[in-house]
Amino acid sequence: LHDALPICFLFSNLNKQLFVFLFFLFLSSVFWLSTSLNETYEQEFSVPVQLVDVPEKVVITTDVPDSIRVTLQDKGYTLLTYRRSLQYRPIKLSFKAYATNGTGKGVVPASDIQKQVLRRINTSTEIKLMKPEKIEFEYNFGHSKRVPVRLYGQVLPADNYYLAQTVFSPESVLVYANKPLLDTLTAVYTVAVDLNGFEDTLGVDLQLQ
């Protein structure tokens, strides 16, 4: 029993020193974090965007970006609050407000996008950079045409072999465009391909031009 007392005292003393060390480590960390967050930084955020109010008969024929990249400058603790408020609430852009009748095109200017971003940030926060600066899209009123897929390039089997058949899957695609363009379109071609010297059935995934 007498031999156990010094050991228990030793462990108790070590625990007390460890507690004091962790306490001051915690205080220093809090002080460092508070000082760091009070500094001014620049940080990039991804802000989702949506094109809304698109009429049922309208087909968007170009890829509209699903987000914009915005670089903001402010205190660290302010930027920290934007991680959720900006990244989980999309900016909604009305098709009717930006579609130009008769042209099949629409442009959302940078100033309009900035206005929507400014509504969601503090007055102390400055927008340093925004990509893309504007959003453009093209559309038509449901004009489409089905055209066959054609191979563009060279396909040569090895010597003493011949090409028995070429099969496309799908054999045709539906193209949306304005009527004058559709009237001139007779086929859609693959990207350029150069296949030589094969001796067996060959399957290749190709993008369309």
Side-chain angles (χ1 to χ4, degrees):
L1 179 61
H2 292 288
D3 293 336
L5 288 176
I7 298 177
C8 292
F9 175 78
L10 177 61
F11 275 100
S12 177
N13 189 43
L14 287 176
N15 288 337
K16 183 178 180 181
Q17 292 180 8
L18 179 61
F19 174 78
V20 172
F21 170 76
L22 292 177
F23 175 74
F24 282 101
L25 178 63
F26 172 76
L27 286 181
S28 61
S29 299
V30 170
F31 177 76
W32 173 83
L33 181 62
S34 176
T35 304
S36 299
L37 291 178
N38 200 43
E39 296 291 332
T40 299
Y41 298 96
E42 288 186 7
Q43 185 174 351
E44 185 181 75
F45 296 89
S46 176
V47 184
V49 296
Q50 291 180 356
L51 189 63
V52 298
D53 300 327
V54 181
E56 291 184 2
K57 295 182 179 180
V58 168
V59 177
I60 305 299
T61 58
T62 53
D63 292 331
V64 179
D66 57 4
S67 64
I68 58 173
R69 309 293 298 183
V70 181
T71 301
L72 304 177
Q73 178 179 288
D74 208 334
K75 302 290 186 181
Y77 57 80
T78 302
L79 296 178
L80 194 63
T81 64
Y82 294 148
R83 289 189 177 182
R84 286 187 174 274
S85 61
L86 289 180
Q87 295 178 348
Y88 294 96
R89 290 177 53 202
I91 290 176
K92 295 184 178 182
L93 307 172
S94 175
F95 170 87
K96 298 177 181 179
Y98 301 105
T100 304
N101 292 331
T103 65
K105 297 181 179 180
V107 179
V108 184
S111 58
D112 285 12
I113 301 175
Q114 284 186 5
K115 287 179 182 177
Q116 293 217 38
V117 175
L118 288 171
R119 292 173 186 167
R120 304 183 179 194
I121 60 179
N122 294 345
T123 55
S124 61
T125 305
E126 182 180 354
I127 298 177
K128 303 299 291 185
L129 186 65
M130 188 174 66
K131 296 180 181 179
E133 293 186 349
K134 61 181 179 180
I135 294 178
E136 300 177 294
F137 59 90
E138 297 182 9
Y139 65 94
N140 66 51
F141 290 94
H143 299 302
S144 62
K145 181 179 181 180
R146 184 166 291 280
V147 293
V149 176
R150 295 286 183 261
L151 184 70
Y152 179 73
Q154 177 177 266
V155 179
L156 296 175
D159 294 340
N160 300 323
Y161 290 84
Y162 70 95
L163 190 63
Q165 188 181 18
T166 300
V167 178
F168 293 96
S169 179
E171 296 181 347
S172 62
V173 292
L174 194 62
V175 178
Y176 292 89
N178 57 60
K179 193 174 185 305
L181 180 59
L182 289 176
D183 291 340
T184 64
L185 193 65
T186 59
V188 169
Y189 288 86
T190 68
V191 295
V193 61
D194 188 6
L195 301 172
N196 296 297
F198 57 94
E199 301 177 353
D200 200 353
T201 299
L202 183 66
V204 180
D205 292 328
L206 295 174
Q207 298 290 328
L208 299 179
Q209 292 188 24

Coordinates of all heavy atoms in Angstrom, one line a residue, residues 47-54 60 64-68 86-98 108 113 116 120 135 137:
V47 N -20.8 29.6 -57.2 CA -22.2 29.9 -57.0 C -23.0 29.3 -58.1 O -22.9 29.6 -59.3 CB -22.4 31.5 -57.0 CG1 -23.8 31.8 -56.7 CG2 -21.4 32.1 -56.0
P48 N -24.0 28.4 -57.8 CA -24.8 27.8 -58.8 C -25.8 28.8 -59.4 O -26.2 29.7 -58.8 CB -25.6 26.7 -58.0 CG -25.6 27.2 -56.6 CD -24.3 27.9 -56.4
V49 N -26.0 28.6 -60.7 CA -27.0 29.4 -61.5 C -28.0 28.5 -62.2 O -27.7 27.4 -62.6 CB -26.3 30.3 -62.5 CG1 -25.4 31.3 -61.8 CG2 -25.5 29.5 -63.5
Q50 N -29.2 29.0 -62.4 CA -30.2 28.3 -63.1 C -31.0 29.2 -64.0 O -31.3 30.4 -63.7 CB -31.3 27.7 -62.1 CG -30.7 26.6 -61.2 CD -31.8 26.1 -60.2 OE1 -32.9 26.6 -60.2 NE2 -31.5 25.1 -59.5
L51 N -31.2 28.7 -65.2 CA -32.1 29.4 -66.2 C -33.5 29.0 -66.0 O -33.8 27.8 -66.2 CB -31.6 29.1 -67.6 CG -32.2 30.0 -68.7 CD1 -31.8 31.5 -68.5 CD2 -31.7 29.5 -70.1
V52 N -34.3 29.9 -65.6 CA -35.7 29.5 -65.2 C -36.7 30.2 -66.1 O -36.3 31.0 -66.9 CB -36.0 29.9 -63.7 CG1 -35.1 29.1 -62.8 CG2 -35.9 31.4 -63.5
D53 N -38.0 29.8 -66.0 CA -39.1 30.4 -66.8 C -38.9 30.2 -68.3 O -39.3 31.0 -69.1 CB -39.2 31.9 -66.5 CG -39.5 32.3 -65.1 OD1 -40.2 31.5 -64.4 OD2 -39.1 33.3 -64.6
V54 N -38.4 29.0 -68.6 CA -38.2 28.6 -70.0 C -39.5 28.0 -70.5 O -40.0 27.1 -70.0 CB -37.1 27.6 -70.2 CG1 -36.9 27.2 -71.7 CG2 -35.8 28.1 -69.6
I60 N -33.3 24.9 -75.4 CA -32.0 25.5 -75.3 C -31.0 24.7 -76.0 O -30.8 23.5 -75.7 CB -31.6 25.6 -73.8 CG1 -32.7 26.4 -73.0 CG2 -30.3 26.4 -73.7 CD1 -33.0 27.8 -73.4
V64 N -25.6 25.8 -71.0 CA -25.6 27.0 -70.1 C -24.9 26.6 -68.8 O -25.1 25.5 -68.2 CB -27.1 27.4 -69.7 CG1 -27.1 28.6 -68.7 CG2 -27.9 27.7 -70.9
P65 N -23.9 27.3 -68.4 CA -23.1 27.0 -67.2 C -24.0 26.8 -66.0 O -24.9 27.6 -65.8 CB -22.1 28.1 -67.0 CG -22.7 29.3 -67.8 CD -23.4 28.6 -68.9
D66 N -23.7 25.8 -65.2 CA -24.5 25.6 -64.0 C -23.9 26.3 -62.8 O -24.5 26.2 -61.7 CB -24.6 24.1 -63.7 CG -23.3 23.4 -63.5 OD1 -22.2 24.1 -63.6 OD2 -23.2 22.2 -63.4
S67 N -22.8 27.0 -62.9 CA -22.3 27.8 -61.8 C -21.4 28.9 -62.4 O -20.9 28.8 -63.5 CB -21.5 26.9 -60.8 OG -20.4 26.3 -61.5
I68 N -21.1 29.9 -61.5 CA -20.1 30.9 -61.8 C -19.1 30.9 -60.7 O -19.3 30.4 -59.6 CB -20.7 32.3 -61.9 CG1 -21.5 32.7 -60.7 CG2 -21.6 32.4 -63.1 CD1 -22.0 34.1 -60.6
L86 N -23.7 31.0 -50.2 CA -23.6 31.2 -51.6 C -23.6 29.9 -52.4 O -24.1 29.8 -53.5 CB -22.2 31.9 -51.8 CG -22.1 33.3 -51.4 CD1 -20.7 33.9 -51.8 CD2 -23.2 34.2 -52.1
Q87 N -23.1 28.8 -51.8 CA -22.9 27.5 -52.6 C -24.2 26.7 -52.6 O -24.3 25.7 -53.4 CB -21.8 26.7 -52.0 CG -20.4 27.5 -52.2 CD -19.3 26.7 -51.6 OE1 -19.5 25.7 -50.8 NE2 -18.1 27.1 -51.9
Y88 N -25.2 27.0 -51.7 CA -26.4 26.1 -51.7 C -27.6 26.9 -52.1 O -28.7 26.3 -52.1 CB -26.5 25.5 -50.3 CG -25.4 24.6 -49.9 CD1 -24.3 25.0 -49.2 CD2 -25.5 23.3 -50.4 CE1 -23.3 24.1 -48.9 CE2 -24.5 22.4 -50.1 CZ -23.4 22.8 -49.3 OH -22.4 21.9 -49.0
R89 N -27.5 28.1 -52.5 CA -28.7 28.9 -53.0 C -28.4 29.4 -54.4 O -27.6 30.3 -54.6 CB -28.9 30.1 -52.1 CG -29.5 29.7 -50.7 CD -29.7 31.0 -49.9 NE -30.5 32.0 -50.6 CZ -30.5 33.3 -50.3 NH1 -29.7 33.7 -49.4 NH2 -31.2 34.1 -51.0
P90 N -29.0 28.8 -55.4 CA -28.7 29.1 -56.8 C -29.2 30.5 -57.2 O -30.2 31.0 -56.7 CB -29.4 28.0 -57.6 CG -30.5 27.6 -56.8 CD -30.0 27.7 -55.4
I91 N -28.5 31.2 -58.1 CA -28.9 32.4 -58.7 C -29.9 32.0 -59.8 O -29.5 31.3 -60.7 CB -27.7 33.2 -59.2 CG1 -26.9 33.8 -58.0 CG2 -28.2 34.4 -60.1 CD1 -25.7 34.5 -58.5
K92 N -31.1 32.5 -59.8 CA -32.1 32.2 -60.8 C -32.1 33.3 -61.9 O -32.4 34.5 -61.5 CB -33.4 32.0 -60.2 CG -33.4 30.7 -59.2 CD -34.8 30.4 -58.7 CE -34.7 29.2 -57.8 NZ -36.1 28.9 -57.2
L93 N -31.9 32.9 -63.1 CA -31.9 33.9 -64.2 C -33.2 33.6 -65.1 O -33.3 32.5 -65.6 CB -30.7 33.7 -65.1 CG -29.3 33.8 -64.3 CD1 -28.2 33.5 -65.2 CD2 -29.2 35.2 -63.7
S94 N -34.0 34.6 -65.3 CA -35.2 34.4 -66.0 C -35.0 34.4 -67.5 O -34.4 35.4 -68.1 CB -36.2 35.5 -65.7 OG -37.4 35.4 -66.5
F95 N -35.4 33.3 -68.2 CA -35.3 33.3 -69.7 C -35.9 34.4 -70.3 O -35.4 35.1 -71.3 CB -35.8 31.9 -70.2 CG -36.0 31.8 -71.6 CD1 -34.9 31.4 -72.4 CD2 -37.2 32.2 -72.3 CE1 -35.0 31.3 -73.8 CE2 -37.3 32.1 -73.7 CZ -36.2 31.6 -74.4
K96 N -37.1 34.8 -69.9 CA -37.9 35.8 -70.5 C -37.3 37.2 -70.4 O -37.5 38.0 -71.3 CB -39.3 35.8 -69.9 CG -40.1 34.6 -70.1 CD -41.5 34.6 -69.4 CE -42.2 33.3 -69.6 NZ -43.5 33.4 -68.9
A97 N -36.5 37.4 -69.4 CA -35.8 38.7 -69.2 C -34.6 38.9 -70.2 O -34.3 40.0 -70.4 CB -35.4 38.8 -67.8
Y98 N -34.0 37.8 -70.6 CA -32.8 37.9 -71.4 C -32.8 37.4 -72.8 O -31.9 37.6 -73.6 CB -31.6 37.2 -70.6 CG -31.4 37.8 -69.3 CD1 -31.9 37.1 -68.1 CD2 -30.9 39.1 -69.1 CE1 -31.7 37.6 -66.9 CE2 -30.7 39.6 -67.8 CZ -31.1 38.9 -66.7 OH -31.0 39.4 -65.5
V108 N -27.0 37.2 -70.6 CA -27.1 37.8 -69.2 C -25.9 38.6 -68.9 O -24.8 38.0 -68.8 CB -27.3 36.6 -68.2 CG1 -27.5 37.2 -66.8 CG2 -28.4 35.7 -68.6
I113 N -25.6 39.8 -63.1 CA -25.1 38.7 -62.2 C -24.5 39.2 -61.0 O -24.8 38.8 -59.9 CB -24.1 37.8 -63.0 CG1 -24.7 37.2 -64.3 CG2 -23.6 36.7 -62.1 CD1 -23.8 36.4 -65.1
Q116 N -27.1 40.3 -58.4 CA -27.7 39.2 -57.6 C -26.7 38.7 -56.5 O -27.1 38.2 -55.4 CB -28.1 38.0 -58.5 CG -29.2 38.4 -59.4 CD -30.2 37.2 -59.6 OE1 -30.4 36.4 -58.7 NE2 -30.7 37.1 -60.9
R120 N -26.5 39.1 -51.7 CA -26.3 37.9 -50.8 C -25.0 38.1 -49.9 O -24.7 37.2 -49.1 CB -26.2 36.6 -51.6 CG -27.4 36.4 -52.5 CD -27.3 35.1 -53.2 NE -28.5 34.8 -54.0 CZ -28.8 33.6 -54.5 NH1 -28.0 32.6 -54.3 NH2 -29.9 33.5 -55.2
I135 N -23.2 35.4 -69.3 CA -23.8 34.1 -69.7 C -24.5 34.2 -71.0 O -25.5 35.1 -71.1 CB -24.7 33.5 -68.6 CG1 -23.8 33.2 -67.3 CG2 -25.3 32.2 -69.1 CD1 -24.6 32.6 -66.2
F137 N -26.7 32.2 -74.2 CA -27.4 30.9 -74.6 C -28.1 31.1 -75.9 O -28.4 32.2 -76.3 CB -28.3 30.5 -73.5 CG -29.4 31.5 -73.1 CD1 -30.6 31.5 -73.8 CD2 -29.2 32.5 -72.2 CE1 -31.6 32.4 -73.5 CE2 -30.2 33.4 -71.8 CZ -31.4 33.4 -72.5

